[in-house]
Amino acid sequence: MRPIASEEELRAVITINEVTLPEHYPYFFWYEHYELWRDIFLVAVVGGKIVGYNMCRMEMGIGHIKRGIVKQGHVVSIAVLPEYRRRGIATALMLRAMDSMKNKYGAAEVYLEVRVSNEPAIRLYEKLGFKKVKVLRGYYLDGEDAYLMAREL
Ligand code: ACO
Ligand code: ZN
């Protein structure tokens, strides 16, 4: 688990996103996170190959767990290649990102959105102490709802 290091690695991350998730983003969106929040844009490397990523950002917003306006880490997109799942890679990517959100950026909480049907991801987040805060109706382009899940840091 380490911060992403180059634009070449960014291209590898985008390829993983394309094969693992229906949510894709324009290049500038990836690049913005790469430029601004590299400490919390992490890659998992196995045998020299990038097999997973966790792209996060920092925001100020109304707390999902705490009251008032707080610094929030936002997990924008996380994925692990199918052949490398159930080995704790996503857990390690999340723990490292949450540590940096708290200790480098002073985040008070962390949040994310996840498809209500995405049981593997929901279990991962619940295991990490996230709670379902609310349902975002029709959040995804295909009409599926999202859970907003959050945790104090
Ligand atoms: N079924 C049930 N529980 C699961 C599953 C599964 N298929 N996968 C993970 N979990 C739960 C388990 O509790 C697991 O612990 P255990 O293996 O000890 O039982 C725990 O999550 C931790 O699993 P990890 O090994 O750390 O997770 P992994 O590296 O396999 O990655 C991930 C999980 C990221 C959800 C992976 O399945 C994936 O890439 N899925 C496709 C992309 C995706 O859905 N990303 C999340 C979208 S939401 C967002 O990006 C904010
Ligand atoms: Zn989001």
Side-chain angles (χ1 to χ4, degrees):
M1 270 13 84
R2 59 164 174 78
I4 186 168
S6 67
E7 255 190 283
E8 191 185 335
E9 291 191 349
L10 184 58
R11 284 188 287 274
V13 162
I14 293 169
T15 303
I16 296 176
N17 169 263
E18 278 162 3
V19 299
T20 54
L21 277 168
E23 283 67 53
H24 308 305
Y25 313 101
Y27 189 77
F28 77 82
F29 185 78
W30 292 100
Y31 192 79
E32 178 187 28
H33 290 77
Y34 168 74
E35 275 289 290
L36 296 179
W37 296 288
R38 208 168 295 182
D39 291 339
I40 47 175
F41 189 159
L42 305 173
V43 291
V45 185
V46 174
K49 179 182 159 186
I50 294 184
V51 302
Y53 70 88
N54 184 10
M55 179 173 76
C56 305
R57 62 191 290 149
M58 289 304 306
E59 297 168 1
M60 293 284 286
I62 298 170
H64 298 298
I65 308 282
K66 298 196 170 165
R67 286 176 166 272
I69 305 286
V70 294
K71 271 194 192 171
Q72 298 164 316
H74 181 172
V75 179
V76 176
S77 183
I78 179 170
V80 174
L81 285 175
E83 316 85 272
Y84 294 88
R85 289 180 190 164
R86 295 309 279 274
R87 305 184 184 185
I89 291 177
T91 301
L93 285 166
M94 287 292 295
L95 289 172
R96 169 85 186 252
M98 292 192 294
D99 182 72
S100 295
M101 285 168 182
K102 182 181 165 128
N103 295 310
K104 291 190 179 160
Y105 292 97
E109 55 182 55
V110 52
Y111 80 98
L112 54 82
E113 302 90 10
V114 59
R115 286 178 181 269
V116 296
S117 65
N118 192 345
E119 276 177 35
I122 293 167
R123 291 225 187 130
L124 163 74
Y125 304 139
E126 282 180 338
K127 213 167 176 180
L128 289 164
F130 284 71
K131 301 268 183 266
K132 293 170 182 163
V133 174
K134 60 182 165 188
V135 177
L136 306 172
R137 299 277 169 216
Y139 181 79
Y140 294 98
L141 284 176
D142 60 9
E144 185 169 345
D145 299 342
Y147 287 124
L148 190 147
M149 298 185 72
R151 205 203 99 149
E152 197 173 311
L153 287 176

